[in-house]
Amino acid sequence: MERLHWVRHRCRQLLAADSGRGWYSAPDGLPTKGSLEPHGSPHRFSGKRRTVFSRHGPHQQEYQAISKGYKCNAICTTKYSLLTFIPMNLFQQFHRAANLYFLFLVLLNWVPVVEAFQKEITMIPLLVVLSVIALKDAMEDYRRYLFDKKVNNNIVRVYNGKQKAYIDQRWQDVRVGDFIRLSCNEIIPADMLLLYSSDPHGICYIETANLDGETNLKQRQVVADIPLHGVEFTPEGFHSHIECENPNNDLSRFRGYMEHSCKVRVGLHNNNLLLRSCTIRNTETVVGIVVYAGHETKAMQNNSGPRYKRSQLEQRLNVDVLWSVLLLIIMCLTGAIGHGLWLRQLKEPIYLVEAEMSPALGGFYVFWTMIIVLQVLIPISLYVSIEIVKLGQIFFIQNDVSLYNEQLDSRIQCRALNITEDLGQIQYIFSDKTGTLTENKMVFRRCTIYGIEYPHQENARRLEVYEPEEGEVPGRSVTLRSGCSAKSLSCRSVSCNHSSVSLHTLTAESTEEQDGLSSHAQTRTRTSAFCSRMAKDVVPDPQLVGKLKCLASPALPLSDGTSGTPSSLELTYIADFFLALAICNSVVVSSPSQPRHVVPEARTPLKSLEDIKLMFQRFSFSPFSAFPTLPPPQTQDSPRSFTSRLFTWGKAGSFTPTTIPTTAEGADPNQEASDLGHKLASPGSSRVEEQDEGSVKVKDRETEDDLKDTMANLGEAMEHLEDLTERGVENNTDDELVYEAESPDEAALVHAARAYRCTLRGRSTDRLLVDLPGIGCLAVQLLHILPFDSTRKRMSVVVRHPLTGQVVVYTKGADSVIMDLAEAPQGAEQAEERFRYIRKQTQMHLDSYARDGLRTLCIAKKILQEEEYEVWLKKQLFAETSIENREELLMESAQRLETKLTLLGATGIVDRLQEEVPETIEALQRAGIKVWVLTGDKQETAVNIACACKLLRPNDQLLTANCESKDACAALLQELRVEVERGGESLTEPPPAVGRDGETISGTVAGFILVINGQTLDWVLEEELKSDFLELSQRCKAVICCRSTPLQKSQVVWLVRDQLRVMTLAIGDGANDVSMIQVADVGIGISGQEGMQAVMSSDFAISRFKHLRKLLLVHGHWCYARLANMILYFFYKNVMYVNLLFWYQFFCGFSGSVMTNSWVLILFNLIFTSVPPLVYGVLDQDAAADTLMELPELYQTRHTSRIYNPSTFWLTILDGFYQSLVCFFVPYFAYAGSDVGELSFGSPINTSALLIILLHQVIESHTLTWLHLLVLLASGMSYCTFVLLFSVWCVTCSPPTNPLGVETLQLSQPLFYTVCGLTTVVALLPRVLFRALHNTTHPSAVLRTSQMDKLGPEEYSKRMQHWNQAHSRTKRLPVCVDNPGLEPSSTGSLVT
């Protein structure tokens, strides 16, 4: 009795003092912040730190001394300025080895003894390349400049010390130490410490969508020991200074302290910090002091710039460029040696040859001259061409209508511009499950309480026939947000007209990407996190509804549950279960008419209930029972039945939620209650008794009189409260509650509780407003929140129970954790037996839920004695006020509290597969790609989802690896490997299937599927077991890793990528997938329900998993084929043309002379033959998109054939050598013995070379459109036009030769056309014949597919039947061989 009075008295003291302790209320005897000595903090802040003084405070000298080292708030993401652009851009471009090489050639050509061409001519290729890249860099930097200018010129209200008021200033003028005043929907300009909030509890709500993509609201708290409400914050009165850590990029941590003028220190933590780029929501006014500005803010510290990954094709290209360099050196050495031998054999000096020059020196000079002449062998233009082609490929990928999500108005984002070709080489895919394969749209499906399962059959049927309403976005759901739409919430007493433009300050990317992110953020702004109609419209289970009605019945049943009616203990479990669902979360409640529902300060029914309890205890009535043990018997005279009727206010037995009653403004609730009439003794009281079958019967007449005398004045108060409640219900039924949850699980559970009329209606820092069935609206005192983290895998709230007044811990979390923390109550054997039964039944139901593919969460509770709570609170307060090691101390404190839990029940939440996921996975497996699923869910859930998405088929053999020790793991891996080897390669090697092209289809055959849990995964990732695990996994068709952590995910990807040397792709949608996305060769983020962290870390971003199918099978196939063929074509045309000059050296004494003018030589590869390969690299299609989608095995042929590999490279080089021989010697023999000059001899060679190179591309092209023909014609016409104009007008353009009239003369002779035609035919004929012969005898899969497409339906059907019959001899293994625990069902799922 005295203890309850003490707790109430202490709570009133703390509330009256506005101590602002956040989630707790400290009892007497605990150290407070004000009691600390000036330097007696238990944990001092050590290490590098910064000091922040107010800019207009009393510490002006200190501010001026330290503020010089702090950056201003202006941001600059540009690389250059007008003055630095040219030198810095050139400096960066010359970091490329190719550019340095050609710069060396330009400088070398200025040496007279080795000069090959005019000095200006050799500079043209380098200048063109540098100019093109510089123009591209300038345009990108200019876009960044415009974006920076837009951000820096935003307006914010900053306090001015001279004017003693807040004035408008630009963001770039904000400095550290400034006081900033923000209103609803304004974007935070800098990292600032929250000093004031218009919220009476010192709470500020922010949205971090611009920072991490999450749209759910997050709470921030005013610094402790600063008044929360009353007079608005005055900067003149701020005499404190701040000590905090130096700027860093950790978004989730902030450490420091604020020291007041009285030398008292207050700890500062992350929930006191407002980060730049976040948006103020549902809060009228906030004031903060800037601690980090500009590039020192955490948002800008996370700016790592654009992503860059080197593709596998680019790595292969670099190797072949080195081979080209080696080939160039060999050719130059040949020329040098040949020139030396020629000089040695020269008996009489000739023109331009010095007689005194030794053969060795002459050979040395010629070596460098040949380097200049044959420079085209190194494809400098290839690097620029590849960049242009990739931009074109990305343009078509981003504008593919099939990859556009119309409902979300989002398209694919290509964030890494240089790895498009890697999409065509993927061999392993590592996929997250939740939100990637599934919708991440959690819907309550069923539950188990007190060991009794409630199947919710009607709810299951609702989910089966559910279809999204018109306008409802799959994966998202419409809700209301302040300042966003016509239906948006408006902040009270404030005009929210400020723009909520997304300021993407993390990376200065292209305008398209910023627009894409901005539009996505705006789409998300108009939608609430996890609040779809499917999640909200939960159909209650009739059996559970009937039991809940007993809570509102006039008398609590005395049955033990054997007669069919619920026992008292079961009802207690049910009430606690749904109360936990409603309050064990961080959900923010709002509605269209009120941006945020809070708990009013007025007197609540809870306090009246406590008064009634005290009165009942005074008359020796039985107190409310404690839940872990069996409650004492309660008769119809029990106070429980009385309070149940009392707080139903004429609505007993109904489930109509009520709002908290409030008294008239300025009225004293106690006085109002005492001044009202005598309802209990009046006919009105009889009416209540008539409505309830079992009225309050007091056996002792004297006690009954005392009760009536005591309660008489409360009668009319209850009548008045009933009227207020009815009006509140009328007002609130029109306003639909909107829940802003941090995760879809939270939202699903809150909606489930609401379906059973246990409704969360409001939230404040220290109280929750909850509707309980049969009781009404109660204010639950919230003492602490222990948030969820990936280590504990659970979340807890510490509350004071609204009915019993006890301190209760409600916990929800993963079943693997909660089941271990649950313990049987000490004492009665009956209670221990009951606990074992409940635990056994609950575990059985959990296993059933997992087999059905449901996500499971366990619900538990723990009642704390006041002394036990005080002991824990001291340690919790110590952890909360600590500056260093705060996270570790809080973790230890939470783990100490969450022990010896009482298991209440568990929930099963359905997370439906995304559309076309099974078809996508089947297509990927047919394409020869191995799909691994890395998930944190339990094993049964992951296996069921694998069955549903056709990753695991009924005829597959399941291998399970769950080990408790490293030795057991090693033995199991050996055993499984032997079993796989015994099964034979026929399980894992894909036999032929019914593909149109006759290729193998691995996705339709039996295979081994390895399932491994997180604990075993730790063992196999160790050095000793890596090889065994990889060998086993290579023989398996798929691997499913369960209970895996984010670190384990990245380690698995790294292991497979580096050890097997395969191309990997990781795909996920949440922050826990970021590490594996960054480790994989290709990272893909899904813009799903869990924010944009995965997208911001990815190379490509898609909105649905099904888009991965076309992205890889079509665009990946095309991109790789195009770039590979284009690179080979570049090497071919360079080798072919350069060798023409090399063969000429044998007839000019290896002097470095050429048979063409230098302008044509330089421009031949730079202009005349440069555009056709670009069109080829962007538009060529070796197969139609529909064909590639229908026949995924065509993707696999790219792994086996390898268009671009060492063999194809050297074959291309040899082909270039052959064609150059033909192109040179056919004109040589045609003009042998004539008096033709060197330029006249070179004219048919150049023309033939151009025709051969262009027609060679026509032969290699799979697609010829009008654009291809136009470009080819333009290339030929540009060459002819140039040489003709050059021949007519140029006299001294190419000394010492004179090209005047050469081309006009050649074009007038029939021999010229004969030579060109014959040369072209002889050069290309072998390639044409080889292609025809090879395609006839060994046609490729793509060619056979294209031939099938041209056949009629009947002929196609006949060929396919013949092909299937020829390959039907392949034996299939029996279903579930050596795995009796895995049986196929009629639906294709597994029953274990």
Side-chain angles (χ1 to χ4, degrees):
M1 181 72 175
E2 291 78 16
R3 195 66 182 168
L4 183 60
H5 277 296
W6 176 85
V7 172
R8 291 184 59 196
H9 174 70
R10 181 59 181 162
C11 291
R12 288 177 179 175
Q13 278 185 333
L14 294 173
L15 289 174
D18 288 327
S19 61
R21 297 190 184 275
W23 301 119
Y24 59 86
S25 300
D28 289 334
L30 294 182
T32 62
K33 299 179 184 67
S35 64
L36 297 176
E37 293 296 325
H39 300 286
S41 177
H43 285 272
R44 291 197 179 196
F45 186 80
S46 59
K48 295 183 178 180
R49 60 186 181 183
R50 70 161 39 188
T51 304
V52 178
F53 291 95
S54 168
R55 188 178 182 184
H56 302 288
H59 308 283
Q60 286 300 304
Q61 293 182 351
E62 294 88 341
Y63 175 82
Q64 295 296 334
I66 65 173
S67 63
K68 296 178 181 179
Y70 300 155
K71 294 185 179 180
C72 65
N73 200 45
I75 64 168
C76 179
T77 59
T78 59
K79 294 181 180 179
Y80 317 105
S81 66
L82 290 177
L83 296 178
T84 62
F85 174 73
I86 293 179
M88 286 189 62
N89 187 261
L90 290 176
F91 177 77
Q92 290 182 354
Q93 289 202 53
F94 282 119
H95 275 71
R96 289 186 175 182
N99 291 343
L100 284 176
Y101 165 74
F102 279 92
L103 177 62
F104 168 73
L105 292 180
V106 170
L107 298 177
L108 186 64
N109 194 63
W110 284 66
V111 179
V113 293
V114 297
E115 179 182 358
F117 309 120
Q118 291 176 269
K119 299 177 178 60
E120 299 81 2
I121 294 178
T122 55
M123 297 175 61
I124 292 177
L126 182 61
L127 290 177
V128 170
V129 171
L130 294 179
S131 300
V132 171
I133 297 178
L135 180 62
K136 178 180 72 72
D137 292 342
M139 294 175 62
E140 293 179 354
D141 210 54
Y142 183 67
R143 283 197 294 266
R144 285 191 289 263
Y145 165 75
L146 293 179
F147 178 74
D148 292 345
K149 184 178 179 182
K150 177 182 177 182
V151 172
N152 290 331
N153 288 330
N154 280 309
I155 301 299
V156 67
R157 297 187 64 80
V158 180
Y159 182 77
N160 185 280
K162 296 180 179 179
Q163 301 182 20
K164 305 297 183 182
Y166 291 94
I167 62 174
D168 289 341
Q169 284 189 7
R170 294 179 301 177
W171 278 25
Q172 64 183 14
D173 298 327
V174 173
R175 298 291 185 272
V176 173
D178 275 335
F179 292 102
I180 295 180
R181 179 189 177 101
L182 298 172
S183 301
C184 178
N185 291 343
E186 285 192 319
I187 298 176
I188 302 169
D191 292 353
M192 46 188 272
L193 207 60
L194 184 59
L195 301 179
Y196 168 79
S197 173
S198 57
D199 182 89
H201 300 281
I203 290 295
C204 169
Y205 288 87
I206 62 172
E207 181 187 82
T208 60
N210 295 338
L211 195 61
D212 57 15
E214 295 186 359
T215 58
N216 51 287
L217 299 186
K218 297 179 175 61
Q219 292 185 2
R220 292 295 181 264
Q221 177 76 42
V222 169
V223 176
D225 286 354
I226 292 182
L228 303 180
H229 59 279
V231 181
E232 187 169 337
F233 176 81
T234 54
E236 298 91 343
F238 185 82
H239 298 157
S240 308
H241 74 272
I242 299 163
E243 297 279 347
C244 61
E245 58 189 358
N246 273 340
N248 58 75
N249 61 356
D250 192 345
L251 295 172
S252 61
R253 192 184 74 174
F254 175 72
R255 298 185 302 173
Y257 61 83
M258 179 184 294
E259 184 171 320
H260 299 306
S261 55
C262 59
K263 303 301 181 181
V264 174
R265 292 181 178 179
V266 179
L268 303 176
H269 309 296
N270 193 55
N271 60 348
N272 304 131
L273 190 66
L274 304 181
L275 296 181
R276 178 191 175 104
S277 297
C278 298
T279 306
I280 302 296
R281 298 291 189 194
N282 293 355
T283 310
E284 295 178 10
T285 305
V286 298
V287 176
I289 183 171
V290 176
V291 291
Y292 305 125
H295 287 274
E296 293 180 337
T297 60
K298 292 182 178 291
M300 296 304 298
Q301 290 281 320
N302 278 273
N303 182 5
S304 58
R307 295 177 54 78
Y308 181 84
K309 286 185 178 180
R310 178 171 295 178
S311 67
Q312 197 174 64
L313 200 66
E314 185 179 346
Q315 297 175 19
R316 178 70 236 175
L317 170 62
N318 292 335
V319 174
D320 290 339
V321 168
L322 294 179
W323 282 116
S324 298
V325 172
L326 179 61
L327 185 60
L328 174 64
I329 293 174
I330 293 175
M331 295 170 69
C332 293
L333 284 175
T334 302
I337 295 172
H339 185 69
L341 295 175
W342 180 76
L343 286 178
R344 178 173 295 179
Q345 296 175 1
L346 187 64
K347 298 179 180 179
E348 297 181 1
I350 59 176
Y351 177 68
L352 292 180
V353 176
E354 298 181 8
E356 297 81 9
M357 182 179 295
S358 65
L361 183 59
F364 177 76
Y365 288 157
V366 167
F367 175 84
W368 296 109
T369 302
M370 293 290 291
I371 289 285
I372 300 173
V373 172
L374 304 181
Q375 61 178 290
V376 183
L377 186 62
I378 308 300
I380 181 175
S381 59
L382 177 58
Y383 290 97
V384 180
S385 300
I386 289 176
E387 290 189 10
I388 296 174
V389 166
K390 288 183 178 181
L391 289 176
Q393 291 176 349
I394 288 172
F395 172 81
F396 284 104
I397 292 176
Q398 289 183 331
N399 289 275
D400 188 344
V401 179
S402 302
L403 303 180
Y404 171 72
N405 192 323
E406 183 177 1
Q407 293 169 316
L408 294 179
D409 190 25
S410 67
R411 61 182 180 179
I412 183 173
Q413 299 176 31
C414 300
R415 300 173 57 83
L417 307 181
N418 55 328
I419 59 171
T420 54
E421 66 273 22
D422 281 350
L423 294 172
Q425 291 291 288
I426 300 302
Q427 296 167 274
Y428 279 77
I429 290 179
F430 300 90
S431 174
D432 179 38
K433 183 186 76 68
T434 304
T436 304
L437 301 177
T438 62
E439 294 275 5
N440 199 17
K441 190 191 299 182
M442 309 301 180
V443 182
F444 179 83
R445 170 62 182 81
R446 59 204 304 180
C447 67
T448 173
I449 310 173
Y450 194 65
I452 300 174
E453 209 272 335
Y454 301 97
H456 291 72
Q457 297 295 342
E458 289 296 328
N459 196 43
R461 284 189 283 270
R462 174 185 71 91
L463 297 179
E464 291 176 359
V465 300
Y466 172 80
E467 294 182 1
E469 293 180 346
E470 183 178 357
E472 183 176 346
V473 179
R476 312 226 192 275
S477 52
V478 176
T479 186
L480 307 169
R481 180 62 58 94
S482 55
C484 296
S485 64
K487 297 180 180 180
S488 65
L489 307 178
S490 59
C491 294
R492 294 167 293 175
S493 305
V494 67
S495 176
C496 294
N497 296 324
H498 299 282
S499 173
S500 184
V501 180
S502 174
L503 298 180
H504 185 62
T505 58
L506 288 182
T507 55
E509 300 164 355
S510 64
T511 304
E512 283 190 7
E513 187 169 347
Q514 292 167 7
D515 292 343
L517 288 173
S518 178
S519 63
H520 177 81
Q522 290 172 4
T523 302
R524 292 291 303 263
T525 303
R526 291 190 298 272
T527 63
S528 170
F530 332 120
C531 200
S532 66
R533 180 176 63 87
M534 182 175 67
K536 293 188 292 185
D537 298 341
V538 177
V539 180
D541 186 87
Q543 182 184 3
L544 190 54
V545 169
K547 293 181 179 180
L548 275 171
K549 287 183 178 179
C550 296
L551 291 175
S553 63
L556 195 66
L558 297 175
S559 171
D560 59 359
T562 57
S563 61
T565 59
S567 65
S568 303
L569 184 59
E570 182 181 353
L571 288 179
T572 300
Y573 271 64
I574 293 174
D576 271 324
F577 180 85
F578 284 106
L579 182 60
L581 295 190
I583 67 175
C584 189
N585 52 65
S586 57
V587 171
V588 178
V589 188
S590 59
S591 64
S593 63
Q594 188 175 355
R596 182 165 52 86
H597 289 200
V598 297
V599 185
E601 295 290 344
R603 202 167 171 86
T604 66
L606 173 62
K607 296 182 180 180
S608 300
L609 180 60
E610 289 177 350
D611 295 338
I612 295 170
K613 284 166 50 188
L614 292 176
M615 179 186 60
F616 286 149
Q617 291 172 358
R618 182 175 136 224
F619 292 118
S620 300
F621 284 112
S622 300
F624 295 104
S625 61
F627 292 148
T629 58
L630 208 66
Q634 293 184 349
T635 64
Q636 292 182 345
D637 303 317
S638 67
R640 174 65 178 269
S641 61
F642 177 79
T643 55
S644 176
R645 295 197 315 278
L646 180 63
F647 283 92
T648 306
W649 298 322
K651 301 181 182 292
S654 70
F655 283 82
T656 304
T658 59
T659 57
I660 184 168
T662 56
T663 58
E665 184 175 356
D668 185 357
N670 297 326
Q671 184 65 31
E672 180 176 330
S674 62
D675 291 342
L676 295 175
H678 43 280
K679 183 176 176 58
L680 290 178
S682 65
S685 177
S686 302
R687 177 179 59 82
V688 174
E689 294 180 1
E690 291 173 2
Q691 184 174 356
D692 300 327
E693 295 180 359
S695 61
V696 178
K697 297 179 180 179
V698 183
K699 297 180 180 180
D700 191 305
R701 185 64 187 172
E702 182 179 355
T703 304
E704 182 178 0
D705 293 340
D706 292 339
L707 176 63
K708 287 184 178 180
D709 293 340
T710 307
M711 296 298 296
N713 292 334
L714 291 177
E716 294 190 11
M718 293 301 101
E719 184 179 24
H720 179 60
L721 292 175
E722 180 179 359
D723 295 337
L724 292 175
T725 302
E726 290 177 352
R727 289 197 298 270
V729 171
E730 293 175 1
N731 294 335
N732 277 332
T733 52
D734 296 334
D735 290 347
E736 180 183 1
L737 292 178
V738 177
Y739 293 134
E740 292 280 355
E742 291 189 1
S743 70
D745 302 78
E746 279 193 350
L749 296 181
V750 174
H751 286 302
R754 188 183 182 190
Y756 287 94
R757 298 299 185 263
C758 189
T759 306
L760 176 65
R761 289 201 167 273
R763 173 181 294 274
S764 297
T765 49
D766 58 350
R767 285 185 298 173
L768 299 168
L769 196 61
V770 183
D771 266 350
L772 296 180
I775 296 178
C777 212
L778 299 178
V780 181
Q781 185 180 1
L782 179 62
L783 303 177
H784 301 271
I785 290 182
L786 306 179
F788 175 88
D789 62 70
S790 58
T791 303
R792 290 168 41 246
K793 296 183 180 180
R794 57 189 179 271
M795 173 191 182
S796 298
V797 293
V798 184
V799 300
R800 192 166 295 281
H801 199 281
L803 299 179
T804 66
Q806 294 173 312
V807 177
V808 184
V809 181
Y810 288 105
T811 303
K812 68 175 181 182
D815 56 299
S816 60
V817 176
I818 301 298
M819 297 297 281
D820 294 337
L821 295 176
E823 296 182 8
Q826 301 294 329
E829 181 180 351
Q830 181 182 3
E832 295 183 4
E833 183 179 353
R834 183 188 303 110
F835 169 78
R836 287 191 294 270
Y837 173 78
I838 294 175
R839 181 189 176 93
K840 177 182 177 182
Q841 291 297 111
T842 303
Q843 186 62 58
M844 183 178 65
H845 298 151
L846 286 170
D847 296 338
S848 174
Y849 293 171
R851 286 193 296 270
D852 291 340
L854 302 181
R855 291 172 59 89
T856 55
L857 282 176
C858 285
I859 312 298
K861 63 169 284 189
K862 177 182 181 180
I863 294 181
L864 295 177
Q865 300 299 324
E866 293 294 337
E867 296 78 7
E868 183 182 2
Y869 173 63
E870 288 180 12
V871 172
W872 175 82
L873 185 58
K874 290 181 180 180
K875 297 180 180 180
Q876 177 71 8
L877 178 61
F878 175 78
E880 289 181 347
T881 55
S882 298
I883 296 177
E884 294 186 351
N885 301 322
R886 181 175 183 265
E887 293 79 10
E888 292 79 3
L889 293 174
L890 287 175
M891 175 76 70
E892 294 174 2
S893 177
Q895 291 175 342
R896 282 194 300 268
L897 184 68
E898 297 163 335
T899 57
K900 299 181 181 179
L901 302 177
T902 299
L903 181 64
L904 299 176
T907 62
I909 300 174
V910 63
D911 185 11
R912 302 197 305 178
L913 281 179
Q914 295 182 19
E915 67 276 13
E916 300 183 26
V917 167
E919 294 80 0
T920 301
I921 290 183
E922 180 183 10
L924 294 174
Q925 289 184 324
R926 289 174 57 188
I929 302 174
K930 288 191 175 183
V931 181
W932 290 26
V933 175
L934 311 179
T935 177
D937 284 338
K938 62 186 303 183
Q939 182 172 305
E940 293 82 359
T941 303
V943 170
N944 191 279
I945 292 296
C947 295
C949 64
K950 295 186 179 180
L951 181 66
L952 177 60
R953 293 177 175 271
N955 55 343
D956 288 331
Q957 182 175 348
L958 198 64
L959 306 176
T960 303
N962 298 329
C963 304
E964 298 295 334
S965 66
K966 185 177 179 180
D967 294 337
C969 181
L972 181 61
L973 289 178
Q974 294 294 335
E975 180 182 346
L976 293 178
R977 190 173 64 177
V978 171
E979 182 178 355
V980 171
E981 292 174 351
R982 189 187 309 120
E985 294 184 357
S986 57
L987 268 176
T988 55
E989 292 297 327
V994 291
R996 294 198 312 179
D997 59 335
E999 293 295 328
T1000 59
I1001 301 177
S1002 61
T1004 60
V1005 299
F1008 291 103
I1009 306 295
L1010 177 63
V1011 180
I1012 184 170
N1013 65 3
Q1015 185 175 5
T1016 308
L1017 201 58
D1018 281 332
W1019 301 123
V1020 301
L1021 289 175
E1022 293 189 4
E1023 193 65 34
E1024 297 83 356
L1025 300 180
K1026 280 182 181 179
S1027 58
D1028 293 338
F1029 171 66
L1030 287 175
E1031 185 176 350
L1032 175 63
S1033 63
Q1034 281 183 282
R1035 295 177 176 269
C1036 294
K1037 190 173 72 172
V1039 177
I1040 303 173
C1041 300
C1042 312
R1043 299 295 192 189
S1044 54
T1045 64
L1047 179 60
Q1048 287 178 329
K1049 291 182 179 182
S1050 62
Q1051 289 175 337
V1052 169
V1053 176
W1054 178 86
L1055 178 66
V1056 173
R1057 185 198 68 187
D1058 286 7
Q1059 298 296 321
L1060 300 183
R1061 298 190 179 278
V1062 293
M1063 187 68 69
T1064 58
L1065 180 148
I1067 179 171
D1069 73 317
N1072 59 333
D1073 304 317
V1074 169
S1075 55
M1076 75 169 182
I1077 286 175
Q1078 293 178 334
V1079 168
D1081 295 295
V1082 178
I1084 295 185
I1086 292 184
S1087 51
Q1089 297 274 11
E1090 296 188 17
M1092 293 281 285
Q1093 297 98 322
V1095 169
M1096 298 168 113
S1097 303
S1098 65
D1099 304 308
F1100 301 89
I1102 57 180
S1103 58
R1104 311 295 283 175
F1105 184 81
K1106 66 177 182 179
H1107 294 160
L1108 187 63
R1109 180 181 182 182
K1110 187 169 186 180
L1111 181 62
L1112 296 185
L1113 303 186
V1114 178
H1115 290 290
H1117 178 98
W1118 283 345
C1119 290
Y1120 172 73
R1122 291 164 175 171
L1123 275 174
N1125 285 318
M1126 189 193 78
I1127 290 173
L1128 290 175
Y1129 179 76
F1130 258 91
F1131 279 114
Y1132 149 76
K1133 73 183 184 72
N1134 285 8
V1135 169
M1136 187 268 185
Y1137 190 72
V1138 164
N1139 273 280
L1140 297 177
L1141 308 177
F1142 181 69
W1143 304 136
Y1144 183 70
Q1145 302 307 309
F1146 287 90
F1147 302 94
C1148 67
F1150 297 95
S1151 60
S1153 301
V1154 294
M1155 68 290 189
T1156 183
N1157 69 74
S1158 54
W1159 285 95
V1160 173
L1161 178 64
I1162 294 298
L1163 299 180
F1164 190 89
N1165 278 304
L1166 193 63
I1167 294 180
F1168 302 144
T1169 61
S1170 61
V1171 179
L1174 300 182
V1175 178
Y1176 174 74
V1178 174
L1179 298 179
D1180 189 59
Q1181 297 180 6
D1182 59 348
D1186 294 339
T1187 302
L1188 294 174
M1189 290 286 285
E1190 185 179 352
L1191 297 173
E1193 54 272 9
L1194 296 180
Y1195 184 90
Q1196 188 178 8
T1197 61
R1198 291 304 176 207
H1199 298 302
T1200 56
S1201 64
R1202 292 285 184 180
I1203 299 175
Y1204 182 35
N1205 54 41
S1207 61
T1208 57
F1209 169 75
W1210 288 111
L1211 286 175
T1212 300
I1213 298 298
L1214 291 177
D1215 190 25
F1217 268 96
Y1218 163 76
Q1219 292 188 14
S1220 66
L1221 283 170
V1222 173
C1223 189
F1224 180 84
F1225 285 101
V1226 169
Y1228 174 78
F1229 288 114
Y1231 288 97
S1234 64
D1235 59 351
V1236 66
E1238 63 175 3
L1239 293 183
S1240 298
F1241 171 67
S1243 177
I1245 294 178
N1246 283 330
T1247 305
S1248 299
L1250 179 69
L1251 291 175
I1252 292 171
I1253 289 173
L1254 295 180
L1255 291 177
H1256 180 98
Q1257 182 171 347
V1258 173
I1259 295 173
E1260 293 298 311
S1261 298
H1262 302 89
T1263 304
L1264 285 177
T1265 64
W1266 64 268
L1267 187 58
H1268 289 82
L1269 298 177
L1270 178 62
V1271 170
L1272 292 172
L1273 184 61
S1275 296
M1277 293 300 295
S1278 63
Y1279 169 79
C1280 295
T1281 302
F1282 177 81
V1283 296
L1284 284 174
L1285 293 177
F1286 199 84
S1287 176
V1288 172
W1289 291 341
C1290 189
V1291 178
T1292 60
C1293 298
S1294 184
T1297 59
N1298 186 357
L1300 184 64
V1302 172
E1303 299 296 336
T1304 55
L1305 177 62
Q1306 288 294 317
L1307 292 176
S1308 64
Q1309 295 178 356
L1311 181 60
F1312 173 82
Y1313 299 99
T1314 303
V1315 170
C1316 292
L1318 181 62
T1319 302
T1320 303
V1321 172
V1322 175
L1324 294 177
L1325 186 61
R1327 173 167 286 271
V1328 175
L1329 292 177
F1330 173 79
R1331 280 296 178 91
L1333 182 63
H1334 184 269
N1335 290 338
T1336 302
T1337 57
H1338 299 87
S1340 65
V1342 174
L1343 180 62
R1344 281 180 287 176
T1345 301
S1346 61
Q1347 292 175 348
M1348 290 288 188
D1349 290 336
K1350 297 177 182 179
L1351 297 176
E1354 296 181 0
E1355 183 66 21
Y1356 169 78
S1357 178
K1358 290 180 181 180
R1359 291 198 182 187
M1360 287 304 303
Q1361 290 178 3
H1362 180 269
W1363 185 89
N1364 288 330
Q1365 291 174 1
H1367 295 81
S1368 62
R1369 302 184 185 90
T1370 303
K1371 295 182 180 181
R1372 296 295 181 90
L1373 288 174
V1375 175
C1376 305
V1377 60
D1378 297 331
N1379 192 8
L1382 184 64
E1383 300 177 359
S1385 65
S1386 59
T1387 60
S1389 60
L1390 296 179
V1391 180
T1392 57

